[in-house]
Amino acid sequence: MILKVYTSLLLLFLVNSVWTRTVRQVYDDLDPDHWSHYTSECPQECFCPPSFPNALYCDNKGLKEIPPIPARIWYLYLQNNQIETVSEKPFVNATHLRWINLNKNKITNSGIESGALSKLKRLLYLFLEDNELEEVPAPLPVGLEQLRLARNKISRIPEGVFNHLENLTMLDLHQNSLLDSALQSDTFQGLNNLMQLNIAKNSLKKMPLSIPANTLQLFLDNNSIEVIPENYFNAIPKVTFLRLNYNKLSDDGIPPNGFNVSSILDLQLSHNQLTKIPPINAHLEHLHLDHNKIKSVNGTQICPVSIALEEDYGYYGNIPRLRYLRLDGNEIQPPIPLDIMICFRLLQAVVI
């Protein structure tokens, strides 16, 4: 009994010591001489956490305008308010801003003062989702790495708006009102380091023109795309993840080797109008073909390499790397054909 008491006391002492040290470290990081200054300059409507002095939380406050932002702030949270305008004035001292979240407000293009955003030279992340923008705002900070504009009313992309955004790696434009005419051959010019482009849930009927060459992830779900142009993916040789779910692709709209692309590892073609599996590359790892009009599957025909050669080279040859195959929602009757398993020896899951 005594041993248990001593053990409990020792454990309590250690926990208290660690907690005290942690709390002390938090406050030691803040110069006591500046603590009162941090408190006094915090906007009354917002919260300035003492353990995170570079962050300013003004979300869910019913704000109609942006309060003055202190100079020390790097991370600014303004989502879920009633903000309609973005002017230069609140950001006069905020020269170190890295991150601004303005999601779920009422911001329009006319409400953004010219230069208000572009003067934030150190800004890396700009979130303007769920607002009332009708076009991509311009000009933008040249150092941006992520630009999120989903769920607005964007139907226009001003000429040259992305020309100087060489650091941008992610552009999210999904669930807007973009037509094919909004995406010209030079629309994405300047996005030399873009890795993810999301144009899902728009009103496209064609594959967009001139996708940046370094794009790795291209999301085009929920459009009305009918045709994949011949050699379309030659211009984006690094594309790895391709999503074309919920479009209007038919067998006639896909060139003979349209998806036989060595860089593509994840191909999603669910909810289209395909009656057969299009030719694929041996490097493909995930294939989604559910909810099409496919009636049968012939493993010998769809195998990207000769099954006879596979037998010769075994695991040392260029055997197909497909690991996941989804075929449910078609007209295929089980069981899974044996030649599918013979071809795709690395398959871990088949949904049929």
Side-chain angles (χ1 to χ4, degrees), residues 100-318:
I100 299 178
N101 190 333
L102 277 161
N103 291 346
K104 295 187 178 180
N105 278 283
K106 296 184 177 181
I107 299 168
T108 61
N109 287 94
S110 60
I112 301 177
E113 184 180 346
S114 180
L117 296 173
S118 60
K119 290 184 179 180
L120 301 173
K121 303 297 185 183
R122 300 189 183 185
L123 195 67
L124 302 178
Y125 301 88
L126 177 58
F127 299 171
L128 280 164
E129 298 178 344
D130 296 285
N131 278 279
E132 298 178 12
L133 299 173
E134 294 184 352
E135 62 181 54
V136 174
L140 291 163
V142 296
L144 274 186
E145 293 182 3
Q146 288 193 15
L147 177 60
R148 299 177 184 246
L149 299 168
R151 295 178 299 278
N152 276 275
K153 303 174 183 177
I154 296 172
S155 61
R156 181 174 175 272
I157 301 177
E159 185 178 354
V161 68
F162 301 128
N163 279 2
H164 303 292
L165 302 187
E166 294 186 1
N167 294 328
L168 199 72
T169 59
M170 196 271 272
L171 175 60
D172 190 346
L173 287 163
H174 89 268
Q175 201 165 331
N176 278 285
S177 304
L178 293 169
L179 300 170
D180 296 317
S181 57
L183 305 180
Q184 300 299 314
S185 59
D186 59 350
T187 295
F188 301 111
Q189 184 175 327
L191 300 179
N192 299 326
N193 290 296
L194 193 72
M195 291 190 288
Q196 184 187 109
L197 178 59
N198 191 342
I199 326 178
K201 293 188 177 182
N202 278 277
S203 301
L204 304 181
K205 293 183 178 180
K206 300 178 181 179
M207 295 292 284
L209 301 171
S210 301
I211 300 297
N214 285 318
T215 302
L216 298 175
Q217 301 178 346
L218 179 59
F219 304 147
L220 292 164
D221 316 76
N222 293 89
N223 281 285
S224 299
I225 297 170
E226 299 180 355
V227 176
I228 307 295
E230 189 84 35
N231 301 320
Y232 180 84
F233 299 104
N234 288 356
I236 41 175
K238 298 181 181 179
V239 64
T240 305
F241 299 92
L242 178 61
R243 291 197 334 219
L244 280 159
N245 304 318
Y246 291 95
N247 277 282
K248 296 182 179 180
L249 289 171
S250 63
D251 301 328
D252 293 337
I254 300 175
N257 284 297
F259 295 119
N260 188 359
V261 180
S262 61
S263 65
I264 299 177
L265 302 182
D266 190 299
L267 176 60
Q268 300 190 19
L269 297 169
S270 304
H271 293 272
N272 277 281
Q273 299 171 12
L274 303 175
T275 64
K276 59 185 179 182
I277 298 177
I280 59 174
N281 193 271
H283 291 89
L284 187 68
E285 297 182 3
H286 297 261
L287 178 59
H288 297 246
L289 284 165
D290 56 285
H291 298 91
N292 277 275
K293 299 179 180 180
I294 301 170
K295 294 182 179 180
S296 62
V297 182
N298 187 316
T300 304
Q301 290 180 357
I302 69 171
C303 193
V305 300
S306 167
I307 291 180
L309 288 176
E310 232 184 302
E311 293 290 343
D312 292 339
Y313 291 107
Y315 284 99
Y316 299 100
N318 186 28

Side-chain angles (χ1 to χ4, degrees), residues 41-84:
E41 68 173 3
C42 182
Q44 186 176 3
E45 312 93 324
C46 307
F47 172 59
C48 298
S51 59
F52 197 10
N54 295 122
L56 181 61
Y57 291 87
C58 307
D59 51 308
N60 296 286
K61 302 294 184 182
L63 300 179
K64 293 188 176 181
E65 58 183 33
I66 300 173
I69 310 304
R72 71 175 191 277
I73 299 303
W74 286 25
Y75 307 97
L76 177 58
Y77 299 88
L78 288 161
Q79 66 270 28
N80 292 301
N81 282 294
Q82 303 294 317
I83 297 170
E84 297 181 1

Side-chain angles (χ1 to χ4, degrees), residues 335-351:
I336 300 166
L338 180 60
D339 51 5
I340 291 285
M341 309 309 296
I342 293 174
C343 173
F344 301 108
R345 300 185 185 186
L346 300 181
L347 264 177
Q348 298 174 355
V350 180
V351 184

